[in-house]
Amino acid sequence: MLNIGARIVNTSRVRAIQAIRSYATKGATPVTLKNHKYTVHATAAGQGRKGEVKSFDETPFSLHLAMPKAMGGKGEGTNPEQLFAMGYASCFLGALQMMAGKTGKKDAARNAVIHTTVHLGEAEGLGGFGLAVDIKVEGVEDEELIKAGHEACPYSRALMQGAVVNVSKAYF
């Protein structure tokens, strides 16, 4: 299992959290983009986790969101963590296969399957919610290739280094 916080194994929970926080902030500069190769626009409306989401690009689609049973909902729809887990798995697989091709190890990632688990829980010391992600790579034995895929994955980069996020009031 590839674990972003792998350097903190065998520490207490409190020390682990402190190490993750220092890792995330120590010298990390948010990823900035030179250009935009692809842009997707999406909206969320309704009652947040019980609302609707829509994307607007070449293949627009919409989904009804529902609160998961674990959070008191009926679980009769998709939730944001499912979408994040699927997007991350797909992106990581693409990055892994790209790096395999660039390093002459294309066959090493041919049968790769990425398993992502996204945890939603109370954020220690911050209030509100936070995310934790576990990634397991099936079908690839080369640890260096897995590491290279992780370092090349835009989702991993955004979580490890941060991303520029611009929030503003919409005027239509």
Side-chain angles (χ1 to χ4, degrees):
M1 178 167 110
L2 184 63
N3 183 344
I4 294 171
R7 65 190 182 99
I8 58 171
V9 174
N10 297 326
T11 62
S12 71
R13 185 167 188 241
V14 172
R15 288 182 58 206
I17 291 165
Q18 291 169 341
I20 289 170
R21 285 185 184 147
S22 69
Y23 175 75
T25 57
K26 198 182 293 183
T29 304
V31 175
T32 57
L33 303 179
K34 252 183 356 185
N35 56 37
H36 297 174
K37 298 281 188 185
Y38 173 71
T39 300
V40 62
H41 301 279
T43 61
Q47 298 177 354
R49 293 177 162 279
K50 297 184 225 171
E52 296 282 330
V53 291
K54 296 179 183 180
S55 72
F56 303 93
D57 60 359
E58 299 105 21
T59 55
F61 74 98
S62 64
L63 292 171
H64 171 72
L65 298 180
M67 188 82 72
K69 288 182 182 181
M71 294 179 65
K74 295 180 182 178
E76 296 174 345
T78 304
N79 65 65
E81 292 71 37
Q82 289 173 312
L83 298 172
F84 186 82
M86 289 186 284
Y88 202 157
S90 175
C91 189
F92 195 103
L93 179 60
L96 178 71
Q97 291 171 336
M98 176 187 74
M99 295 309 295
K102 285 186 174 187
T103 58
K105 301 176 181 178
K106 191 174 180 181
D107 288 341
R110 184 177 312 274
N111 297 317
V113 177
I114 308 303
H115 302 267
T116 55
T117 303
V118 173
H119 308 278
L120 177 69
E122 188 177 335
E124 292 263 356
L126 298 174
F129 290 107
L131 293 177
V133 179
D134 297 319
I135 299 173
K136 295 181 180 179
V137 179
E138 178 185 345
V140 177
E141 299 301 321
D142 187 331
E143 293 279 340
E144 288 300 313
L145 180 57
I146 293 170
K147 181 180 176 188
H150 178 52
E151 291 171 355
C153 175
Y155 277 63
S156 294
R157 287 178 175 180
L159 291 177
M160 290 187 308
Q161 293 191 229
V164 175
V165 178
N166 301 305
V167 179
S168 63
K169 184 174 177 171
Y171 295 96
F172 294 101

